[in-house]
């Protein structure tokens, strides 16, 4: 059944459980950010999958985490220096290639919410936000996707473009006024590293009408902290094991 990502958050809140997100799919078992990894996360029962997006030299939205090709493919150099056709010829592991964002959206639609992280620093991709919103509209995917970024100005720009799109701020530290940051960017979700979350932060974000999504929740310590702080969504590189641990720990 098609469900908007905002409805997914509300339903999970009503059930008293966090949404479980496959961070880069299911990278514990498959090459990160590949269709195989995303399919595996969906099969593992994730509510959400998360992917990372860059622009190719010919301005196509392509899914890969790093700005460079060296760690996750058999290519070398910057993503932005290669055309989409060149990027698609690379091996991303287990015979997988780098997906276009459109393929990941089409895989997710009707099955899971898709959280799209846009990478705008340190290497900027001018025009990425416009291309992304145009694609989401063209595929009828605006309400089943969220866009998040460490580059908060992009989130503010996106809010001006599309009021129905769920937007999130990524953050590695614990700011003094996270709710104010969220409001100023026009975001719906505040998304810190799990270790930069505390109960007061969750309380303040909820009081401001937002949701808290944390990453990467990959071990028992992180799971225990999430049980204590009660964020709304949890992104993990180990969706099979951590998903099972979290489901066992929550009511219903
Ligand atoms: O979802 C947030 C998280 O993915 C941010 O960090 O470096 O894994 O993309 P990173
Ligand atoms: Ca990411």
């Amino acid at each position: 059944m098609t469900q908007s990502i905002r409805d997914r958050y509300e339903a999970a809140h009503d059930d008293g459980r966090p949404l479980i997100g496959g961070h880069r799919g299911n990278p514990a078992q498959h090459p990160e950010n590949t269709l195989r990894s995303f399919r595996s996360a969906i099969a593992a029962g994730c509510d959400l999958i998360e992917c990372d997006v860059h622009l190719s030299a010919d301005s196509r939205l392509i899914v890969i985490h790093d700005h460079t090709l060296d760690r996750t493919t058999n290519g070398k150099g910057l993503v932005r220096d290669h055309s989409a056709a060149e990027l698609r010829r690379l091996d991303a592991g287990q015979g997988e290639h780098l997906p276009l964002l459109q393929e990941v959206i089409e895989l997710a639609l009707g099955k899971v919410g898709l959280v799209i992280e846009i990478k705008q620093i340190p290497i900027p991709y001018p025009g990425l936000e416009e291309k992304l919103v145009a694609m989401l509209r063209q595929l009828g995917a605006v309400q089943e996707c969220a866009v998040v970024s460490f580059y908060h100005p992009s989130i503010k720009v996106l809010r001006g473009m599309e009021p129905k799109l769920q937007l999130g701020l990524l953050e590695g530290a614990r700011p003094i006024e996270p709710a104010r940051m969220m409001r100023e960017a026009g975001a719906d979700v505040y998304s810190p590293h799990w270790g930069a979350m505390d109960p007061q932060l969750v309380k303040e974000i909820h009081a401001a009408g937002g949701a808290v999504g944390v990453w990467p929740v990959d071990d028992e310590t992180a799971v225990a902290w999430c049980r204590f702080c009660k964020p709304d969504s949890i992104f993990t590189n180990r969706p099979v094991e951590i998903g099972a641990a979290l489901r066992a720990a929550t009511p219903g």
Side-chain angles (χ1 to χ4, degrees), residues 23-24 50-52 65 117 119 148 150 170:
H23 185 244
R24 311 180 197 176
E50 185 260 4
C51 69
D52 302 284
H65 180 270
E117 180 183 348
K119 298 287 192 187
V148 301
F150 285 105
L170 295 174

Side-chain angles (χ1 to χ4, degrees), residues 4-6 29 59 73 76 82 129 143 176 184 240:
S4 77
I5 201 160
R6 284 180 168 140
Q29 297 181 340
S59 288
T73 77
K76 286 196 183 313
H82 296 76
E129 294 84 0
Q143 296 190 66
I176 295 168
E184 284 179 357
V240 174

Side-chain angles (χ1 to χ4, degrees), residues 120-179:
Q120 279 285 26
I121 47 171
I123 295 179
Y125 293 109
L128 185 151
E129 294 84 0
E130 288 82 357
K131 278 185 186 302
L132 177 55
V133 168
M135 177 176 286
L136 293 173
R137 286 179 180 154
Q138 188 204 338
L139 297 174
V142 169
Q143 296 190 66
E144 291 184 60
C145 294
V147 180
V148 301
S149 188
F150 285 105
Y151 189 64
H152 301 175
S154 279
I155 297 303
K156 192 166 183 176
V157 164
L158 285 163
R159 173 55 69 229
M161 288 180 190
E162 180 47 76
K164 291 191 180 130
L165 182 59
Q166 191 191 65
L167 295 169
L169 297 185
L170 295 174
E171 183 58 57
R174 195 332 183 163
I176 295 168
E177 296 184 84

